[in-house]
PDB file of all heavy atoms in Angstrom:
ATOM      1  N   ILE A 724     -74.398 -42.873  14.347  1.00  0.00           N
ATOM      2  CA  ILE A 724     -74.207 -44.216  14.901  1.00  0.00           C
ATOM      3  C   ILE A 724     -73.108 -44.212  15.954  1.00  0.00           C
ATOM      4  O   ILE A 724     -73.172 -44.938  16.960  1.00  0.00           O
ATOM      5  CB  ILE A 724     -73.870 -45.217  13.765  1.00  0.00           C
ATOM      6  CG1 ILE A 724     -75.109 -45.450  12.897  1.00  0.00           C
ATOM      7  CG2 ILE A 724     -73.366 -46.531  14.331  1.00  0.00           C
ATOM      8  CD1 ILE A 724     -74.833 -46.258  11.656  1.00  0.00           C
ATOM      9  N   LEU A 725     -72.122 -43.338  15.724  1.00  0.00           N
ATOM     10  CA  LEU A 725     -71.022 -43.231  16.683  1.00  0.00           C
ATOM     11  C   LEU A 725     -71.365 -42.341  17.870  1.00  0.00           C
ATOM     12  O   LEU A 725     -70.497 -42.051  18.696  1.00  0.00           O
ATOM     13  CB  LEU A 725     -69.773 -42.697  15.972  1.00  0.00           C
ATOM     14  CG  LEU A 725     -69.186 -43.613  14.892  1.00  0.00           C
ATOM     15  CD1 LEU A 725     -68.050 -42.920  14.163  1.00  0.00           C
ATOM     16  CD2 LEU A 725     -68.710 -44.925  15.511  1.00  0.00           C
ATOM     17  N   GLY A 726     -72.606 -41.882  17.954  1.00  0.00           N
ATOM     18  CA  GLY A 726     -73.046 -41.148  19.133  1.00  0.00           C
ATOM     19  C   GLY A 726     -73.209 -39.660  18.951  1.00  0.00           C
ATOM     20  O   GLY A 726     -73.536 -38.949  19.908  1.00  0.00           O
ATOM     21  N   GLY A 727     -73.000 -39.148  17.747  1.00  0.00           N
ATOM     22  CA  GLY A 727     -73.145 -37.719  17.519  1.00  0.00           C
ATOM     23  C   GLY A 727     -74.609 -37.304  17.456  1.00  0.00           C
ATOM     24  O   GLY A 727     -75.425 -37.968  16.819  1.00  0.00           O
ATOM     25  N   GLY A 728     -74.973 -36.211  18.118  1.00  0.00           N
ATOM     26  CA  GLY A 728     -76.334 -35.682  18.056  1.00  0.00           C
ATOM     27  C   GLY A 728     -76.572 -34.953  16.757  1.00  0.00           C
ATOM     28  O   GLY A 728     -75.642 -34.640  16.001  1.00  0.00           O
ATOM     29  N   ARG A 729     -77.855 -34.653  16.475  1.00  0.00           N
ATOM     30  CA  ARG A 729     -78.213 -34.008  15.224  1.00  0.00           C
ATOM     31  C   ARG A 729     -77.499 -32.668  15.052  1.00  0.00           C
ATOM     32  O   ARG A 729     -76.942 -32.383  13.988  1.00  0.00           O
ATOM     33  CB  ARG A 729     -79.732 -33.824  15.182  1.00  0.00           C
ATOM     34  CG  ARG A 729     -80.241 -33.011  14.000  1.00  0.00           C
ATOM     35  CD  ARG A 729     -80.173 -33.752  12.689  1.00  0.00           C
ATOM     36  NE  ARG A 729     -81.090 -34.893  12.678  1.00  0.00           N
ATOM     37  CZ  ARG A 729     -81.206 -35.747  11.659  1.00  0.00           C
ATOM     38  NH1 ARG A 729     -80.421 -35.612  10.602  1.00  0.00           N
ATOM     39  NH2 ARG A 729     -82.047 -36.756  11.702  1.00  0.00           N
ATOM     40  N   LEU A 730     -77.509 -31.838  16.084  1.00  0.00           N
ATOM     41  CA  LEU A 730     -76.884 -30.524  15.965  1.00  0.00           C
ATOM     42  C   LEU A 730     -75.367 -30.626  15.835  1.00  0.00           C
ATOM     43  O   LEU A 730     -74.747 -29.861  15.097  1.00  0.00           O
ATOM     44  CB  LEU A 730     -77.250 -29.665  17.183  1.00  0.00           C
ATOM     45  CG  LEU A 730     -78.724 -29.252  17.281  1.00  0.00           C
ATOM     46  CD1 LEU A 730     -78.958 -28.430  18.536  1.00  0.00           C
ATOM     47  CD2 LEU A 730     -79.139 -28.450  16.051  1.00  0.00           C
ATOM     48  N   ARG A 731     -74.769 -31.575  16.544  1.00  0.00           N
ATOM     49  CA  ARG A 731     -73.314 -31.718  16.447  1.00  0.00           C
ATOM     50  C   ARG A 731     -72.915 -32.225  15.065  1.00  0.00           C
ATOM     51  O   ARG A 731     -71.918 -31.769  14.486  1.00  0.00           O
ATOM     52  CB  ARG A 731     -72.814 -32.682  17.525  1.00  0.00           C
ATOM     53  CG  ARG A 731     -71.288 -32.818  17.534  1.00  0.00           C
ATOM     54  CD  ARG A 731     -70.806 -33.705  18.653  1.00  0.00           C
ATOM     55  NE  ARG A 731     -69.354 -33.827  18.624  1.00  0.00           N
ATOM     56  CZ  ARG A 731     -68.650 -34.588  19.461  1.00  0.00           C
ATOM     57  NH1 ARG A 731     -69.279 -35.266  20.424  1.00  0.00           N
ATOM     58  NH2 ARG A 731     -67.327 -34.642  19.361  1.00  0.00           N
ATOM     59  N   VAL A 732     -73.679 -33.160  14.517  1.00  0.00           N
ATOM     60  CA  VAL A 732     -73.400 -33.660  13.167  1.00  0.00           C
ATOM     61  C   VAL A 732     -73.547 -32.538  12.153  1.00  0.00           C
ATOM     62  O   VAL A 732     -72.733 -32.393  11.230  1.00  0.00           O
ATOM     63  CB  VAL A 732     -74.348 -34.835  12.837  1.00  0.00           C
ATOM     64  CG1 VAL A 732     -74.240 -35.205  11.362  1.00  0.00           C
ATOM     65  CG2 VAL A 732     -74.038 -36.034  13.713  1.00  0.00           C
ATOM     66  N   LEU A 733     -74.584 -31.728  12.342  1.00  0.00           N
ATOM     67  CA  LEU A 733     -74.788 -30.602  11.426  1.00  0.00           C
ATOM     68  C   LEU A 733     -73.616 -29.628  11.505  1.00  0.00           C
ATOM     69  O   LEU A 733     -73.122 -29.144  10.484  1.00  0.00           O
ATOM     70  CB  LEU A 733     -76.102 -29.896  11.778  1.00  0.00           C
ATOM     71  CG  LEU A 733     -76.442 -28.631  10.980  1.00  0.00           C
ATOM     72  CD1 LEU A 733     -76.591 -28.950   9.503  1.00  0.00           C
ATOM     73  CD2 LEU A 733     -77.719 -27.991  11.519  1.00  0.00           C
ATOM     74  N   ARG A 734     -73.141 -29.365  12.722  1.00  0.00           N
ATOM     75  CA  ARG A 734     -72.056 -28.402  12.899  1.00  0.00           C
ATOM     76  C   ARG A 734     -70.718 -28.932  12.401  1.00  0.00           C
ATOM     77  O   ARG A 734     -69.961 -28.211  11.728  1.00  0.00           O
ATOM     78  CB  ARG A 734     -71.941 -28.055  14.385  1.00  0.00           C
ATOM     79  CG  ARG A 734     -70.881 -27.000  14.714  1.00  0.00           C
ATOM     80  CD  ARG A 734     -70.628 -26.976  16.211  1.00  0.00           C
ATOM     81  NE  ARG A 734     -70.034 -28.249  16.660  1.00  0.00           N
ATOM     82  CZ  ARG A 734     -69.988 -28.616  17.926  1.00  0.00           C
ATOM     83  NH1 ARG A 734     -70.513 -27.860  18.871  1.00  0.00           N
ATOM     84  NH2 ARG A 734     -69.419 -29.773  18.261  1.00  0.00           N
ATOM     85  N   ASP A 735     -70.396 -30.187  12.708  1.00  0.00           N
ATOM     86  CA  ASP A 735     -69.056 -30.717  12.443  1.00  0.00           C
ATOM     87  C   ASP A 735     -68.903 -31.352  11.068  1.00  0.00           C
ATOM     88  O   ASP A 735     -67.780 -31.416  10.546  1.00  0.00           O
ATOM     89  CB  ASP A 735     -68.690 -31.752  13.510  1.00  0.00           C
ATOM     90  CG  ASP A 735     -68.573 -31.138  14.898  1.00  0.00           C
ATOM     91  OD1 ASP A 735     -68.424 -29.901  14.975  1.00  0.00           O
ATOM     92  OD2 ASP A 735     -68.645 -31.892  15.892  1.00  0.00           O
ATOM     93  N   ILE A 736     -69.983 -31.844  10.482  1.00  0.00           N
ATOM     94  CA  ILE A 736     -69.863 -32.583   9.218  1.00  0.00           C
ATOM     95  C   ILE A 736     -70.610 -31.893   8.083  1.00  0.00           C
ATOM     96  O   ILE A 736     -70.021 -31.528   7.065  1.00  0.00           O
ATOM     97  CB  ILE A 736     -70.368 -34.033   9.392  1.00  0.00           C
ATOM     98  CG1 ILE A 736     -69.482 -34.773  10.388  1.00  0.00           C
ATOM     99  CG2 ILE A 736     -70.408 -34.752   8.051  1.00  0.00           C
ATOM    100  CD1 ILE A 736     -69.916 -36.192  10.672  1.00  0.00           C
ATOM    101  N   THR A 737     -71.919 -31.693   8.262  1.00  0.00           N
ATOM    102  CA  THR A 737     -72.733 -31.206   7.152  1.00  0.00           C
ATOM    103  C   THR A 737     -72.429 -29.753   6.807  1.00  0.00           C
ATOM    104  O   THR A 737     -72.287 -29.407   5.626  1.00  0.00           O
ATOM    105  CB  THR A 737     -74.227 -31.366   7.481  1.00  0.00           C
ATOM    106  OG1 THR A 737     -74.459 -32.673   7.999  1.00  0.00           O
ATOM    107  CG2 THR A 737     -75.073 -31.142   6.242  1.00  0.00           C
ATOM    108  N   ALA A 738     -72.347 -28.901   7.828  1.00  0.00           N
ATOM    109  CA  ALA A 738     -72.120 -27.480   7.571  1.00  0.00           C
ATOM    110  C   ALA A 738     -70.814 -27.212   6.814  1.00  0.00           C
ATOM    111  O   ALA A 738     -70.814 -26.435   5.853  1.00  0.00           O
ATOM    112  CB  ALA A 738     -72.149 -26.697   8.881  1.00  0.00           C
ATOM    113  N   PRO A 739     -69.681 -27.836   7.184  1.00  0.00           N
ATOM    114  CA  PRO A 739     -68.471 -27.603   6.381  1.00  0.00           C
ATOM    115  C   PRO A 739     -68.613 -28.046   4.934  1.00  0.00           C
ATOM    116  O   PRO A 739     -68.095 -27.391   4.024  1.00  0.00           O
ATOM    117  CB  PRO A 739     -67.404 -28.433   7.117  1.00  0.00           C
ATOM    118  CG  PRO A 739     -67.892 -28.516   8.529  1.00  0.00           C
ATOM    119  CD  PRO A 739     -69.382 -28.608   8.417  1.00  0.00           C
ATOM    120  N   LEU A 740     -69.327 -29.171   4.707  1.00  0.00           N
ATOM    121  CA  LEU A 740     -69.530 -29.632   3.337  1.00  0.00           C
ATOM    122  C   LEU A 740     -70.466 -28.707   2.558  1.00  0.00           C
ATOM    123  O   LEU A 740     -70.385 -28.629   1.328  1.00  0.00           O
ATOM    124  CB  LEU A 740     -70.098 -31.052   3.349  1.00  0.00           C
ATOM    125  CG  LEU A 740     -69.169 -32.151   3.877  1.00  0.00           C
ATOM    126  CD1 LEU A 740     -69.911 -33.480   3.973  1.00  0.00           C
ATOM    127  CD2 LEU A 740     -67.934 -32.291   2.984  1.00  0.00           C
TER     128      LEU A 740
END
Side-chain angles (χ1 to χ4, degrees):
I724 290 172
L725 295 174
R729 173 73 66 182
L730 292 179
R731 183 177 179 183
V732 170
L733 176 62
R734 183 193 65 196
D735 295 341
I736 296 178
T737 313
L740 293 174

